[in-house]
Amino acid sequence: MRLREWNQVKLTSQKRKDRASDSEEIGVEGGRMDFLRSLFSRTLGLSPGEKVLDELTLDGVARYILSGKCKNIICMVGAGISTSAGIPDFRSPGTGLYANLQKYNLPYPEAIFQIDYFKIHPEPFFALARELYPGQFKPTVCHYFMRMLKDKGLLTRSFSQNIDTLERVAGLEGEDLIEAHGTFHTSHCVSFLCRKEYSMDWMKNKIFSEDIPKCDSCGSLVKPDIVFFGENLPDRFFTSMKMDFPRCDLLIIMGTSLQVQPFASLSEFGMGLIGFGGGMDFDSDKAYRDVAHLSTCDDGCMALAELLGWKEELEQMVKREHALIDSRDVKKKDEANQNSKSTGAEAGKTDKTA
């Protein structure tokens, strides 16, 4: 099987390492060499590794989780986990974001996320941001499955390529989440001499009033803290990568084709993949730990939840959380309508007085 499907769930299991000894060994030169020697050996297929799944199926993964031996789960997720929420992915032919940007008259689709292009022509990005701005979509089954892993004490971290903040809406907090491609949660002035920070509410007001956000200190553009082409990934991406992956018991990859670097290299860093190409091994004679479940991300999560005995709990969580979001939206609309009526009434009084 090739890694060509967006809406698939891929899982890989690993032998759990002791955290304390990990830190002690990697902290000294000899330990570093042992770690690298082991990593390269597994990467080149020179060591078969330890088989921890009794079967290379979703059932085998579920039994591993329920065994109590799987204590540190990492999720790697991309745009495919948000498509059922109504947010397009990037590269799907015909329906992906890049295939539907003609109206912005870009020199090429990726230019909308190029930092140099943005500094000269910010209008296309902010027009797109109005369409896709966080707060207009609900988290999916997949997002709440990760929340359930957190609630059960199994989630070490979720590494996300997404900028839609739906992981946060679903209940993952700062320590649970590495937003590898940044977030709309905060914004900064693009000037290196200024870098003033702005809140999500400030940016939202600017975007929906169709104003190009400018810094009130220096007049430069203000950009949400999402990572454009030509910018570095957040420091936490690299520090967490080095800390989390060596102790990972199970890696769940959902909704990403693993085409974009350096995010795609995470799977190689932690998993010691067989073969020089760094691809997962699902069905060769050497296969011992990689499982592919081909379905939509939501269906895959629900299938795994059912095998774990969590299906009803997950369904109830999705229903409850979506109802809370709907109730908050209704409250906001009522408050907005009330403010509008109050403003109209005040204007009427002023007219009569005049």
Side-chain angles (χ1 to χ4, degrees):
M1 297 177 188
R2 299 183 180 221
L3 303 182
R4 67 179 188 278
E5 298 288 342
W6 277 90
N7 297 328
Q8 65 182 4
V9 182
K10 311 182 198 74
L11 308 97
T12 188
S13 58
Q14 294 178 230
K15 179 181 179 182
R16 182 170 173 264
K17 298 180 179 179
D18 181 80
R19 296 186 192 184
S21 62
D22 236 1
S23 300
E24 292 168 1
E25 288 180 8
I26 297 175
V28 297
E29 190 61 34
R32 287 194 187 117
M33 292 305 297
D34 289 341
F35 174 76
L36 290 173
R37 189 178 298 112
S38 173
L39 176 64
F40 288 137
S41 176
R42 287 179 287 126
T43 301
L44 298 177
L46 302 178
S47 170
E50 180 182 347
K51 185 174 181 178
V52 297
L53 298 181
D54 58 24
E55 185 178 72
L56 296 181
T57 64
L58 206 59
D59 297 78
V61 172
R63 286 192 291 271
Y64 177 46
I65 295 173
L66 293 173
S67 71
K69 297 177 182 178
C70 180
K71 301 179 184 296
N72 296 287
I73 297 177
I74 293 176
C75 293
M76 284 177 63
V77 300
I81 73 167
S82 296
T83 53
S84 63
I87 302 174
D89 62 29
F90 288 86
R91 292 176 174 80
S92 289
T95 60
L97 185 64
Y98 287 151
N100 292 278
L101 294 176
Q102 300 91 339
K103 58 187 173 183
Y104 299 122
N105 297 316
L106 299 167
Y108 47 92
E110 292 83 357
I112 202 165
F113 294 117
Q114 287 278 1
I115 188 62
D116 291 337
Y117 185 85
F118 170 81
K119 289 178 179 179
I120 301 172
H121 304 288
E123 297 84 3
F125 169 77
F126 287 115
L128 178 65
R130 278 194 293 277
E131 295 182 35
L132 303 179
Y133 200 80
Q136 303 179 82
F137 305 94
K138 296 176 187 174
T140 66
V141 169
C142 201
H143 292 95
Y144 289 116
F145 181 77
M146 291 190 290
R147 157 78 179 278
M148 185 168 287
L149 290 176
K150 171 194 171 180
D151 290 348
K152 294 182 181 297
L154 295 172
L155 183 70
T156 296
R157 208 91 62 196
S158 174
F159 285 75
S160 176
Q161 290 176 290
N162 299 335
I163 59 174
D164 52 40
T165 73
L166 289 182
E167 293 92 353
R168 290 177 181 266
V169 178
L172 298 188
E173 299 171 321
E175 281 303 306
D176 309 317
L177 186 62
I178 301 298
E179 292 160 315
H181 292 176
T183 178
F184 273 97
H185 201 63
T186 54
S187 301
H188 281 85
C189 172
V190 300
S191 170
F192 289 110
L193 298 176
C194 179
R195 299 298 293 164
K196 182 175 180 179
E197 182 173 318
Y198 292 87
S199 69
M200 188 171 179
D201 286 339
W202 182 92
M203 178 57 72
K204 183 177 180 179
N205 288 334
K206 292 292 184 180
I207 288 176
F208 283 95
S209 64
E210 301 192 18
D211 290 337
I212 299 299
K214 296 288 183 70
C215 179
D216 53 26
S217 292
C218 71
S220 299
L221 287 169
V222 177
K223 182 181 76 65
D225 291 339
I226 63 173
V227 180
F228 278 29
F229 295 114
E231 293 186 304
N232 294 324
L233 269 63
D235 290 340
R236 280 191 70 230
F237 171 84
F238 299 100
T239 56
S240 296
M241 173 185 75
K242 294 176 182 178
M243 178 175 63
D244 293 341
F245 277 80
R247 61 190 178 99
C248 173
D249 297 321
L250 179 69
L251 176 64
I252 303 178
I253 303 172
M254 301 180 285
T256 174
S257 59
L258 294 179
Q259 291 183 9
V260 178
Q261 295 290 356
F263 189 88
S265 63
L266 283 178
S267 58
E268 291 188 45
F269 179 87
M271 302 190 314
L273 300 174
I274 294 175
F276 291 92
M280 291 186 185
D281 182 16
F282 297 121
D283 49 18
S284 81
D285 292 339
K286 295 182 179 180
Y288 70 97
R289 56 125 193 235
D290 296 338
V291 177
H293 182 79
L294 303 182
S295 71
T296 68
C297 291
D298 287 349
D299 288 347
C301 286
M302 195 60 76
L304 182 55
E306 184 171 16
L307 292 170
L308 291 166
W310 303 350
K311 182 179 179 182
E312 184 176 352
E313 185 180 354
L314 180 57
E315 289 174 335
Q316 289 300 316
M317 176 183 284
V318 174
K319 184 177 180 180
R320 181 182 68 248
E321 294 296 323
H322 280 187
L324 286 172
I325 292 171
D326 288 339
S327 66
R328 287 196 292 266
D329 289 344
V330 169
K331 184 178 180 180
K332 287 179 182 178
K333 288 178 182 177
D334 289 343
E335 289 175 351
N337 289 335
Q338 190 62 41
N339 290 336
S340 179
K341 290 178 181 178
S342 299
T343 302
E346 290 295 326
K349 289 178 182 179
T350 303
D351 291 341
K352 289 179 181 179
T353 303

